Amino acid sequence: MKLPGQDAIARQADEHLVTHRVKLPRKLVEHPIRQVAKRLSLALVVLVATAFIVYADADGYNDNSDGSIDLLDAFYYATVTLSTTGYGDITPVSDAARLTNIFIITPLRVMFLIILVGTTLEALTERTREEWRLNRWRSTLRDHTVVVGFGTKGRSAIQTVCATGLRKEQVVVVDPSGKAIEAATAHGYAGVIGDATRSDVLNRAELFRAKQIIIATQRDDTAVLVTLTARQLNRGAKIVVAVREEENAPLLKQSGADAVITSASAAGRLLGLSVLSPAAGMVMEDLISQGSGLDLIERPVIKAEVGKNLRDVSDLVVSVLRGHRVLGYDDAAVGGLELTDRLITIVRATPTTQVAPDARPLPRD
């Protein structure tokens, strides 16, 4: 099956002009232009203050050209002195002027240099600091979650995964949009700007070390290419993909996806259910919404539940995961619960409610 636009995507993946980079989350800081403007303003204040100090003691200075010091000469002297140029055409001759240079103008000169040189040094060291952070991040990143696409689906997926207790530092977002990555880093996630169909972009996200991969792109053909590339780079990771058209789901499975979620058919199902039964639609929407109302979670069987049937369990059980099989609540094969079983239950959402982080894809018999 050939998807629309697949040739165009493949050609784009072969281009070598695509720029991509890793962006780590950082604390909110003042805009660089505003920082520079403040420092320049402070430097100007120091310059003006020095000029007026010199002008106030004009009799203690000597100008080789005419012997007198006016306001322009004071500003000129302040400029060459603070910048350490020091032509020597204007010099302090009185003891008061020399003491003023020692105890006032010299500290102002040091302050002036710190303000201007400090701005330059900060700009030079920022890249070194960022490289150090990036190298440290790469060396410590293991078993993380890579999310391709930071749209509505990608954001909701991240919120659900983080509700299991996954730290934000363990999430890496890949998106071709710089604005999307800016939004991701603002939320505390690391981001990689670039085309996820390219292996070098996914390598920058350390995908080969990832434990799970969520693909939530805007196009189904892009999702296929990303899935193929991701599975080639990481054979053991769990890959979950969202597609719009149900007919593309088998292709995603063949490409290496462990689970495929059809967003269009799911939305259509919810719409139809809401028409037939608004109350049932509200319940389904409540289950889908993370952290409020009802939640669908997976949990292990506790020792007190071993041997009991589903009706004797305090939670509302909808399915039992036994080995690699998913048994419905009405399946006669369930019998008594076993210690190795896992239960899919509906519970009231609370701040401590968590979906099991090691939940596996649920294949049907």
Side-chain angles (χ1 to χ4, degrees):
M1 173 182 174
K2 192 172 184 180
L3 298 175
Q6 187 170 350
D7 292 337
I9 295 295
R11 286 195 301 270
Q12 183 180 4
D14 292 333
E15 294 179 356
H16 298 286
L17 298 179
V18 179
T19 58
H20 48 269
R21 63 185 184 276
V22 179
K23 297 194 69 175
L24 300 181
R26 62 175 63 187
K27 295 180 180 179
L28 294 177
V29 296
E30 196 174 19
H31 195 279
I33 296 180
R34 188 173 299 174
Q35 290 184 6
V36 173
K38 283 186 176 181
R39 295 186 181 189
L40 290 177
S41 300
L42 185 57
L44 183 60
V45 169
V46 172
L47 176 64
V48 172
T50 303
F52 277 103
I53 291 173
V54 173
Y55 184 69
D57 191 21
D59 295 337
Y61 293 82
N62 179 55
D63 187 353
N64 294 334
S65 62
D66 56 10
S68 62
I69 301 296
D70 57 15
L71 186 58
L72 178 59
D73 293 331
F75 272 96
Y76 168 75
Y77 177 79
T79 302
V80 299
T81 300
L82 294 181
S83 63
T84 69
T85 304
Y87 293 115
D89 48 350
I90 299 178
T91 56
V93 293
S94 69
D95 292 341
R98 290 175 178 177
L99 289 173
T100 301
N101 270 265
I102 294 173
F103 294 107
I104 298 179
I105 296 181
T106 297
L108 288 175
R109 180 188 300 117
V110 174
M111 183 185 300
F112 185 83
L113 293 176
I114 290 175
I115 293 171
L116 295 185
V117 178
T119 303
T120 304
L121 290 177
E122 183 176 356
L124 292 176
T125 58
E126 178 65 24
R127 182 174 179 84
T128 302
R129 189 186 303 115
E130 192 67 21
E131 285 294 332
W132 179 84
R133 289 185 65 214
L134 185 58
N135 291 333
R136 183 174 178 273
W137 170 76
R138 284 174 172 164
S139 64
T140 58
L141 195 63
R142 297 289 188 282
D143 295 332
H144 57 291
T145 299
V146 176
V147 180
V148 179
F150 198 64
T152 303
K153 292 179 291 186
R155 297 187 189 197
S156 298
I158 292 176
Q159 291 174 359
T160 302
V161 173
C162 287
T164 68
L166 184 70
R167 294 180 292 111
K168 290 185 176 182
E169 293 80 4
Q170 289 296 105
V171 176
V172 182
V173 177
V174 181
D175 198 288
S177 170
K179 292 183 178 180
I181 296 301
E182 289 289 346
T185 54
H187 282 80
Y189 313 119
V192 178
I193 303 175
D195 183 1
T197 61
R198 294 172 56 90
S199 58
D200 55 344
V201 174
L202 295 180
N203 281 330
R204 286 180 175 267
E206 304 294 311
L207 182 135
F208 54 92
R209 297 175 179 172
K211 182 180 180 181
Q212 46 200 11
I213 303 166
I214 300 173
I215 301 175
T217 58
Q218 298 296 325
R219 296 170 57 98
D220 288 3
D221 47 5
T222 305
V224 172
L225 291 176
V226 174
T227 303
L228 286 169
T229 307
R231 182 53 75 197
Q232 183 181 14
L233 295 176
N234 192 326
R235 297 291 183 181
K238 179 194 298 183
I239 299 180
V240 180
V241 188
V243 294
R244 293 178 178 271
E245 301 298 333
E246 189 172 0
E247 63 180 8
N248 294 327
L251 182 59
L252 266 301
K253 288 288 187 69
Q254 295 175 8
S255 301
D258 295 298
V260 180
I261 308 301
T262 308
S263 58
S265 61
R269 167 69 173 165
L270 185 58
L271 287 172
L273 186 61
S274 298
V275 170
L276 297 174
S277 173
M282 290 176 60
V283 172
M284 286 298 298
E285 187 176 1
D286 193 7
L287 286 172
I288 294 174
S289 300
Q290 173 68 29
S292 62
L294 300 175
D295 267 346
L296 190 66
I297 68 168
E298 177 184 333
R299 68 169 179 84
V301 172
I302 61 177
K303 291 183 179 180
E305 297 171 339
V306 176
K308 295 183 178 181
N309 58 49
L310 298 183
R311 293 182 179 179
D312 297 329
V313 177
S314 57
D315 293 337
L316 180 59
V317 180
V318 294
S319 295
V320 177
L321 178 60
R322 179 170 293 169
H324 295 284
R325 296 186 303 161
V326 177
L327 305 175
Y329 70 94
D330 57 347
D331 196 322
V334 174
L337 292 175
E338 301 175 4
L339 188 60
T340 56
D341 290 343
R342 295 185 69 86
L343 303 180
I344 311 298
T345 66
I346 296 177
V347 298
R348 176 65 60 182
T350 64
T352 58
T353 301
Q354 292 187 350
V355 180
D358 58 342
R360 293 165 287 175
L362 306 177
R364 291 284 181 182
D365 287 339

